[in-house]
Amino acid sequence: MNWEEVLNALGEGVLVLKGSEVTFVNRFLVENQLVREDWKGKHYYEAIKSLPFISIVGRALGKDSLSEEFQYLERFYRVVSKRIGEMLVCEVSDVSSVRKYEQSKREFVDNASHELKTPISVLRGIVETLLEEEEDQRKRHFLEKALRRVEQMQNLVEDLLTLTKLESGRERLNLSEFKLRELVEEVYDSLEQEFVKKEVSFENLVSEDFKMFADRQKLFLLLRNLMDNAVKYNKRGGKVWVRAKKEGNKQILEVEDTGIGIPPEHVPFIFERFYRVDKGRSREMGGTGLGLSIVKHIVFLHGGEIMVHSEPGEGSRFSIVIPMYN
Ligand SMILES: Nc1ncnc2c1ncn2[C@@H]1O[C@H](COP(=O)(O)OP(=O)(O)OP(=O)(O)O)[C@@H](O)[C@H]1O
Ligand SMILES: [Mg+2]
């Protein structure tokens, strides 16, 4: 069998290197203009035409295996490399259709949310005005219900817009040093009503001189979502506290509660969009299941990690680790 013919017939790219010299390129890579036609005997940085592809191969040379994506001439490619003895084999597949589908889905959600924003805020204004003027108890009751629903829609639209922005990959970090204790106070102030309503007490255990290095605005959103959950999924008279510490170049934040906890079989899924443990109860509380997806994206954007420790009936602890970058 002629293996070269077989490899040339493939719908994906194959590139083989020995040291930094190219020893095989299949037709796919030449036809898609990723590699020059006269690649024979050349080093990979001369043979490959796309700069991002060159730098991936450069990184792959120092590793046993690697998987990375790049964009070239309007298309998206995934490179998977493997070291076999002296050879480095790179498989290159065209993942444009998946990426383009994801992009159009994001654009659709983004456009739909933008279109909904204005009518919802007009509606909210109308309901609030009617409520101010209404004295009839029965009518007030319905208007209050309507207002809660409108607020829920407004939150959902806000969350969707935040999430599509975070997922687009266009979002950049605006890093600065700030006092974490003050940020936690601000988040608590924005949620105070919820704490009072549920008679949940709050303790800010972050020391006065703890300096955090991160994107302050995004961290506000992150803490707001975690503290909102900590009070929302708590018992009457429960407790919530926030702590922070540094270990080496890691900044560790913890939000802990004495709430209802999360059954272990649900823990792997709670960071997925629209996932709620108890759909009925969560909806009643106004949740849509986007909060923790937003948290996850903010953590990843910082190059960090998130851990959950939870005991049903006892409480939950969310730990965020954010590297310091200096
Ligand atoms: N501290 C917690 N204690 C118990 N369960 C929690 C806690 N945090 C999250 N959960 C569970 O994880 C699910 C997902 O949380 P997430 O914040 O993403 O959504 P949500 O709170 O339902 O809605 P949203 O935050 O979008 O308003 C929740 O519905 C809840 O079941
Ligand atoms: Mg939430």
Side-chain angles (χ1 to χ4, degrees), residues 225 228-229 232 291:
N225 274 300
D228 177 54
N229 286 346
K232 199 157 62 171

Side-chain angles (χ1 to χ4, degrees), residues 97-309:
S97 55
V98 182
R99 293 291 163 267
K100 286 191 176 145
Y101 166 71
E102 284 168 354
Q103 199 175 337
S104 67
K105 196 175 70 174
R106 252 195 323 267
E107 276 166 13
F108 172 75
V109 174
D110 204 41
N111 290 339
S113 312
H114 268 297
E115 293 300 326
L116 283 167
K117 232 176 136 162
T118 313
I120 291 174
S121 60
V122 171
L123 203 57
R124 181 176 179 161
I126 294 172
V127 176
E128 276 172 343
T129 312
L130 287 174
L131 196 56
E132 264 167 37
E133 291 163 2
E134 190 55 67
E135 277 166 19
D136 183 309
Q137 275 313 313
R138 216 174 79 87
K139 286 186 190 156
R140 280 192 70 84
H141 172 74
F142 285 120
L143 285 169
E144 274 159 7
K145 258 193 163 167
L147 184 60
R148 271 202 300 278
R149 292 300 182 181
V150 175
E151 279 169 357
Q152 216 172 315
M153 278 197 274
Q154 211 168 21
N155 289 338
L156 170 62
V157 167
E158 272 311 318
D159 282 356
L160 279 172
L161 285 170
T162 307
L163 201 55
T164 43
K165 216 170 5 158
L166 286 169
E167 282 181 340
S168 72
R170 283 189 306 259
E171 194 70 357
R172 294 282 167 265
L173 287 177
N174 182 8
L175 296 168
S176 69
E177 196 180 62
F178 55 88
K179 284 189 170 175
L180 183 64
R181 191 181 165 83
E182 286 174 8
L183 182 71
V184 174
E185 280 311 311
E186 280 171 38
V187 176
Y188 176 74
D189 289 344
S190 76
L191 291 168
E192 197 174 6
Q193 270 192 354
E194 318 300 318
F195 278 89
V196 171
K197 232 189 288 169
K198 263 198 113 155
E199 293 164 24
V200 170
S201 64
F202 177 70
E203 218 174 333
N204 183 353
L205 296 171
V206 181
S207 72
E208 176 62 40
D209 56 2
F210 190 99
K211 294 269 177 52
M212 181 90 200
F213 189 70
D215 184 319
R216 195 179 194 277
Q217 224 177 346
K218 293 201 174 60
L219 234 63
F220 179 94
L221 211 56
L222 176 146
L223 278 168
R224 195 183 143 92
N225 274 300
L226 290 179
M227 282 165 60
D228 177 54
N229 286 346
V231 63
K232 199 157 62 171
Y233 305 109
N234 219 315
K235 306 162 193 149
R236 192 159 288 282
K239 267 191 193 160
V240 173
W241 56 96
V242 177
R243 257 195 297 252
K245 61 182 171 192
K246 283 185 185 163
E247 275 177 15
N249 77 332
K250 289 175 177 163
Q251 318 176 85
I252 305 168
L253 298 187
E254 286 180 345
V255 178
E256 195 163 346
D257 65 62
T258 58
I260 59 173
I262 306 161
E265 66 272 24
H266 289 279
V267 172
F269 307 107
I270 55 173
F271 294 97
E272 285 174 15
R273 269 178 280 162
F274 296 111
Y275 193 86
R276 285 158 304 176
V277 173
D278 182 339
K279 290 207 164 39
R281 187 166 48 188
S282 182
R283 193 174 302 126
E284 218 173 89
M285 292 192 241
T288 43
L290 292 176
L292 287 179
S293 303
I294 293 176
V295 168
K296 180 183 78 179
H297 274 95
I298 294 176
V299 172
F300 286 0
L301 213 57
H302 280 87
E305 282 177 82
I306 184 159
M307 271 110 35
V308 188
H309 180 85

